[in-house]
Amino acid sequence: MARLTTLLPRGVSARRPRLWRGAVLACAAAYFLVPLAASVVFTVDVPGKGLSLDAYGQIFRADGFTSSLLLSLELALATIAVVLLLMVPAVVALRLGAPRLRPVVDIVCSLPLVVPPIALVAGIGTVLRWGPEHLAATPFFQTLVAIQNPAFPVVLVLAYTVMALPFVYRALDAGLRAVDVRTLTEAARSCGTSWPRALVHAVLPNLRGALLNASFLTLALVLGEFTVAQLLGFQPFAVWVVNVSGSQAQLSVAVSVLSLLITWALLLALTSFGGGTSRRAAPRRKE
């Protein structure tokens, strides 16, 4: 029996979803853009002088801006390298050889979302205080001193790696779900390729979008993290912004607005690059 359908006037069924989408997008835009606009107005409105861009001009001349930003970028790059080196082989091996361990890995990688950063930094501080008392006569004492070097605190890289595990794992797992990893590795192995070369040349090119997403999430985490760095006594970019806000409020808000715009630009670049990659990789249909 033929399916009975109700004929509606042209444009009626399509117009209502468009109106709802427009209303939702307008509410979302107001929710995000109104606070941002208020922050911009606060940075350019100088009492008694009118509009001025002096706050933005002082950013690059402020003491500690360049050093703190470079430190945060260095920490972000190191964290991205460490967490990807740990998680990419782990998730590939989990999908190929030990799928039964997936629930265990899910729980372990989700623990940083349950444990608050204040508890994590309390544990790290306890270990760092315990080390000099018990390891002073051993070679590990110099290791504890080296990882707390203010020029490049490795201890922050280790802490950020743990905090980034949930986001990196979810991004890589979503990328692996869209790829037939077993077929790719078996095809590479049948051609005489070793396991590391099969991972690098066959699997990683198909995970480019997932790797970019994981890298961006880690970069955003490191640039915005404050609690761990502040309590451990280091001054990356987020800590510098908070310290400046006590004496130069307009400058701190201007730096926050600038960092937010840079983050949005990186996200848009990542989205366009990932979309371009997927379009190039998609096969063309024959008409």
Side-chain angles (χ1 to χ4, degrees):
M1 181 181 293
R3 185 175 58 183
L4 297 178
T5 57
T6 303
L7 297 178
L8 297 176
R10 181 178 299 178
V12 173
S13 60
R15 195 175 302 157
R16 291 178 180 176
R18 290 179 183 177
L19 292 176
W20 279 108
R21 284 198 295 266
V24 172
L25 290 177
C27 294
Y31 180 81
F32 287 104
L33 294 180
V34 169
L36 181 61
S39 300
V40 174
V41 171
F42 176 76
T43 58
V44 299
D45 186 15
V46 180
K49 297 182 180 179
L51 299 180
S52 176
L53 297 176
D54 292 340
Y56 293 93
Q58 295 175 4
I59 292 178
F60 300 99
R61 300 192 303 268
D63 294 335
F65 170 77
T66 304
S67 59
S68 62
L69 181 59
L70 290 178
L71 177 59
S72 292
L73 293 177
E74 292 173 358
L75 293 172
L77 293 177
T79 305
I80 291 171
V82 172
V83 73
L84 289 182
L85 287 175
L86 288 175
M87 292 305 300
V88 172
V91 294
V92 173
L94 180 68
R95 193 166 185 83
L96 291 178
R100 294 183 178 180
L101 294 178
R102 179 184 176 85
V104 179
V105 178
D106 285 341
I107 294 174
V108 172
C109 291
S110 300
L111 284 178
L113 296 177
V114 180
V115 179
I118 188 68
L120 176 64
V121 72
I124 295 175
T126 302
V127 173
L128 294 179
R129 290 191 300 270
W130 172 85
E133 298 178 359
H134 298 81
L135 302 176
T138 64
F140 294 102
F141 176 74
Q142 296 299 328
T143 303
L144 287 175
V145 174
I147 65 175
Q148 301 180 69
N149 185 4
F152 186 78
V154 180
V155 65
L156 287 184
V157 175
L158 301 178
Y160 293 158
T161 300
V162 174
M163 297 172 64
L165 281 180
F167 312 105
V168 175
Y169 173 71
R170 294 301 176 187
L172 295 177
D173 184 65
L176 285 174
R177 287 176 179 271
V179 178
D180 191 353
V181 183
R182 187 176 299 278
T183 301
L184 290 174
T185 53
E186 289 179 354
R189 292 288 293 165
S190 64
C191 295
T193 305
S194 61
W195 278 109
R197 290 179 63 87
L199 177 63
V200 173
H201 296 287
V203 178
L204 291 185
N206 293 278
L207 294 179
R208 184 179 302 176
L211 294 174
L212 289 174
N213 291 334
S215 301
F216 177 79
L217 292 173
T218 306
L219 175 64
L221 171 69
V222 175
L223 290 180
E225 201 287 320
F226 170 78
T227 304
V228 176
Q230 173 68 18
L231 294 180
L232 290 180
F234 302 106
Q235 192 177 20
F237 185 66
V239 178
W240 178 82
V241 171
V242 175
N243 292 337
V244 169
S245 64
S247 58
Q248 304 179 52
Q250 282 189 324
L251 177 62
S252 65
V253 176
V255 172
S256 300
V257 171
L258 181 62
S259 63
L260 181 61
L261 294 178
I262 293 174
T263 304
W264 281 1
L266 291 174
L267 178 60
L268 291 176
L270 175 64
T271 304
S272 61
F273 182 76
T277 302
S278 60
R279 286 192 296 269
R280 289 194 299 269
R284 296 181 178 179
R285 297 181 179 178
K286 294 182 181 181
E287 297 180 355

